[in-house]
């Protein structure tokens, strides 16, 4: 299992175990992480699994594709480290990953 820490917008931390090969969104939903709505179920069509990836982890992620880029363009509070959790595949090299959830999902 791979450890991932979700930090809520208020600073509350929740560490969960994620399955190698599953999405970060699935890890959040399976562990009832607040702030990850995942309305579309992981189809990259809603943006409600928006997270901020801690800077030291950005380079370890697969680059975002055009669909994710387009969806994030609709997010009001997008930052340079914004990603959609449904588009991040959890792998062993992400053991210890830290992400923060925004105050609101759109």
């Amino acid at each position: 299992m791979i450890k991932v820490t979700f930090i809520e917008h208020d600073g509350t931390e929740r560490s969960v175990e994620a399955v190698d090969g599953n999405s970060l969104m699935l890890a959040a939903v399976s562990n009832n992480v607040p702030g990850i709505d995942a309305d579309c179920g992981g189809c990259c069509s809603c943006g409600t699994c928006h997270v901020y990836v801690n800077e030291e982890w950005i380079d370890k992620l697969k680059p975002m594709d055009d669909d994710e880029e387009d969806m994030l363009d609709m997010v009001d509070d997008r930052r340079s480290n914004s990603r959609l959790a449904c588009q991040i595949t959890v792998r062993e090299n992400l053991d210890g990953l830290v992400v923060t959830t925004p105050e609101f999902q759109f």
Side-chain angles (χ1 to χ4, degrees):
M1 291 295 221
I2 298 158
K3 180 182 171 187
V4 177
T5 300
F6 291 87
I7 303 173
E8 296 175 50
H9 72 278
D10 66 2
T12 303
E13 292 187 19
R14 180 184 300 233
S15 291
V16 303
E17 290 188 348
V19 176
D20 187 1
N22 283 352
S23 71
L24 183 61
M25 182 219 66
L26 185 58
V29 171
S30 297
N31 289 283
N32 299 311
V33 172
I36 302 292
D37 297 337
D39 290 342
C40 74
C43 298
C44 194
S45 63
C46 73
T48 62
C49 64
H50 177 213
V51 295
Y52 304 116
V53 178
N54 280 28
E55 293 295 333
E56 64 268 16
W57 292 97
I58 291 289
D59 291 337
K60 295 182 180 183
L61 300 179
K62 180 178 126 188
M64 73 174 76
D65 63 19
D66 291 340
D67 290 336
E68 182 179 7
E69 183 75 45
D70 291 344
M71 191 56 53
L72 284 169
D73 279 344
M74 295 189 293
V75 174
D76 289 333
D77 52 354
R78 182 179 183 173
R79 301 178 187 166
S80 62
N81 61 336
S82 288
R83 294 294 302 263
L84 296 179
C86 68
Q87 299 301 298
I88 297 173
T89 302
V90 178
R91 297 286 183 207
E92 286 187 23
N93 70 318
L94 297 181
D95 188 35
L97 175 66
V98 178
V99 300
T100 302
T101 57
E103 185 171 2
F104 302 104
Q105 297 284 2
F106 78 99

